Amino acid sequence: MSPQPDPSSAPSLTEVETHGVDRIPDADRTATPLDLFRLAFGGANTFSTCVLGAFPILFGLSFWQGLAATLLGVVAGALILCPMAVFGPVNGTNNAVSSSAHLGVHGRVVGSFLSLLTAIAFFSISVWSSGDALVGGAHRLFGLPRGDLSYVVAYALFACLVLAVCVYGFRFMLFVNKVAVTSASVLFVVGAIAFAGDFDPSYAGVFTDSADPATQSLFWPSFIGAALIVLSNPVSFGAFLGDWSRYIPASTPRRRVIGAAFLSQIATLLPFLFGLATASIIAAKAPDYVDPAAPDFVGGLLAISPSWFFLPVCLLALIGGMSTGTTALYGTGLDFSSVFPRLSRVQATVLVGVASIAFIFIGRFGLDLVQSISTFATMIITCTTPWMVVMILGFWTRRGWYDPEALQVFNRRQRGGRYWFAHGWNWRGMTAWWVSALLGVLFTNIPGQFVGPLGDLVNGVDISLPLSLVVSAVLFLTLLRVFPEPRAVYGPEGARLARTVDVPVPAIAGPGAVPGEPEPVTAANGG
């Protein structure tokens, strides 16, 4: 059992974080499950989540239908996500590095790719939604012109502010989220008061009894598509939970860590329902703003807001956008510093941030914004979910046992170790991931947004998520049984639900390697 760190020894807010994806020393692990809750909830308790919450109305659902889709998406997403929180405390590193145990030393780049995709998507959503709200609020309060120049300046300033927080690192980001959780929640409650008089839960949407058969046939595709958009929010944290939970001591009971991750997503019902309710008001009072051809949730919200709520809207956009942007961008910069070893964490963060800012301007001024969000959310679900399934089942079959030194082989530019498998690739996990992800993309069907080549085979209903979940789980466990992994990758208690084979594994070789096989590390088995 490792000694408990002293929280008073934590570095100051203005000290730039020096840790990359190397294993966090026990003495530096001063975070708690509550901190994990704050970061995960703070990253979603934002204006951008309200935008995602408006999608059920944009898809034509009634308020109650949209509520059902939202509840389904949040709860299902939270259940899929929460086990991903345990890798950080166990291994002291991020989830992409931990995935080396199941995808191989080189196969861990899959997690890096997924984190980059997710970071760009949700960093962009936060900057778009917050920038639009700031410009719109300033227009209503001070008469600021709503031209392209205003939006360019707002996006650039906001993105640079988020980037600066990420450069400082974990402690500064944690401070921002501590402030954001409370202040944004208060502002959402104030917003509920502002719109209470206009809210009508009987908003019927387009799928009414009087709708023509062609419209009614789109109900289930629209319902499931809306639920998947909502579900993309909790799933998007899968690649990032380890970035924050790695600062939690390894001795912390796993149920507390998992519980914090689960509750952080259930709490996001606050911004989701705010977006859903206000979108239904916009659809009833200012329907032009929810036209699927050119939706403008932020403009519609400002159009129906009482004048006294303009300033809270601006504050909500600023605080919430900072929280979402930092949690999305921080982890990717952290991980890419290991993919490209010549880059420090700070340099990698700046590089990814600049690339994301470029995408923000292209997506906002050169592409269909809603289509961009929907497509990215779809790719996040279909590609990240089976990766998470492989990780979770791998954790279960390994009984939570890992060799932290062997996980760091890629980052140190070494070779060999327990997770070398076939030239650095564990084709069992890799096959289960890419086959299920490919099937998910092929069967995706989000009406009017993205339809895969096989998306119409089930009467237009999107079965991509359940299909990819089932295929990845069955295929991975089958491969572990038919093509057993080396006994050395399992801990003292052996494998669960998998077979093993006694074959030698290559010793770690390369820069800084210690001759011979490293001793197993079992301190993380507690909890």
Side-chain angles (χ1 to χ4, degrees), residues 298-523:
V298 173
L301 183 66
L302 292 169
I304 65 171
S305 296
S307 57
W308 63 266
F309 192 60
F310 294 156
L311 182 59
V313 165
C314 292
L315 292 175
L316 187 59
L318 180 63
I319 295 171
M322 283 285 295
S323 185
T324 297
T326 53
T327 53
L329 188 60
Y330 168 80
T332 302
L334 172 69
D335 192 55
F336 265 68
S337 64
S338 66
V339 176
F340 301 100
R342 292 186 178 182
L343 299 177
S344 66
R345 184 196 68 83
V346 172
Q347 292 171 328
T349 300
V350 172
L351 177 63
V352 174
V354 171
S356 300
I357 292 171
F359 177 81
I360 287 169
F361 287 102
I362 295 172
R364 176 61 174 81
F365 298 107
L367 301 175
D368 183 319
L369 183 58
V370 172
Q371 180 109 20
S372 301
I373 294 174
S374 298
T375 301
F376 262 90
T378 299
M379 295 303 296
I380 288 167
I381 293 172
T382 55
C383 294
T384 303
T385 302
W387 177 79
M388 293 166 63
V389 170
V390 170
M391 290 279 288
I392 294 167
L393 289 178
F395 184 93
W396 181 256
T397 59
R398 304 279 177 87
R399 301 181 187 271
W401 187 92
Y402 293 90
D403 181 350
E405 289 300 312
L407 291 175
Q408 296 290 335
V409 165
F410 181 92
N411 313 325
R412 297 169 180 170
R413 291 305 178 261
Q414 298 169 334
R415 298 170 59 85
R418 300 179 195 273
Y419 307 130
W420 187 248
F421 299 105
H423 304 287
W425 302 89
N426 186 352
W427 62 268
R428 305 162 189 83
M430 289 292 297
T431 301
W433 170 71
W434 76 258
V435 169
S436 51
L438 178 61
L439 284 174
V441 173
L442 292 176
F443 279 89
T444 295
N445 189 321
I446 300 180
Q449 308 297 328
F450 179 83
V451 179
L454 303 179
D456 291 322
L457 287 185
V458 194
N459 297 321
V461 175
D462 191 324
I463 63 169
S464 59
L465 179 64
L467 183 65
S468 62
L469 281 170
V470 172
V471 170
S472 58
V474 172
L475 183 56
F476 184 53
L477 291 177
T478 300
L479 291 173
L480 291 181
R481 295 288 298 180
V482 177
F483 303 99
E485 294 176 318
R487 174 64 180 82
V489 304
Y490 294 89
E493 298 180 21
R496 180 193 283 129
L497 297 180
R499 296 171 55 233
T500 62
V501 59
D502 288 318
V503 296
V505 295
I508 297 176
V514 178
E517 185 67 10
E519 288 295 317
V521 180
T522 59

Side-chain angles (χ1 to χ4, degrees), residues 46-235:
T46 64
F47 212 78
S48 57
T49 304
C50 296
V51 174
L52 296 178
F55 268 80
I57 301 300
L58 296 178
F59 281 13
L61 301 180
S62 70
F63 172 78
W64 292 111
Q65 293 163 351
L67 177 61
T70 300
L71 291 174
L72 174 62
V74 169
V75 174
L79 290 173
I80 295 171
L81 171 73
C82 62
M84 296 298 294
V86 300
F87 292 95
V90 168
N91 295 323
T93 187
N94 71 344
N95 285 354
V97 173
S98 293
S99 72
S100 300
H102 308 296
L103 299 178
V105 168
H106 294 152
R108 56 138 291 180
V109 298
V110 170
S112 302
F113 164 76
L114 294 174
S115 67
L116 176 63
L117 183 70
T118 304
I120 291 176
F122 283 85
F123 180 50
S124 300
I125 293 172
S126 69
V127 173
W128 282 331
S129 57
S130 298
D132 287 355
L134 287 172
V135 172
H139 172 73
R140 298 293 296 270
L141 286 171
F142 311 112
L144 178 72
R146 297 183 63 179
D148 286 349
L149 179 60
S150 297
Y151 287 108
V152 167
V153 172
Y155 294 156
L157 290 176
F158 193 80
C160 291
L161 188 61
V162 170
L163 185 57
V165 174
C166 292
V167 166
Y168 275 103
F170 177 79
R171 294 295 163 189
F172 204 156
M173 186 175 65
L174 180 58
F175 170 74
V176 169
N177 279 271
K178 284 180 178 180
V179 174
V181 165
T182 301
S183 56
S185 298
V186 170
L187 289 171
F188 279 127
V189 172
V190 172
I193 296 173
F195 296 109
D198 295 322
F199 174 61
D200 182 4
S202 64
Y203 172 73
V206 302
F207 302 107
T208 61
D209 294 337
S210 60
D212 60 78
T215 299
Q216 291 183 349
S217 68
L218 292 175
F219 170 73
W220 283 112
S222 298
F223 179 88
I224 295 175
L228 289 176
I229 292 293
V230 172
L231 186 145
S232 70
N233 198 62
V235 168

Side-chain angles (χ1 to χ4, degrees), residues 246-258:
R246 68 196 179 113
Y247 278 95
I248 297 175
S251 59
T252 305
R254 292 173 186 170
R255 64 181 181 276
R256 292 183 58 201
V257 179
I258 293 174

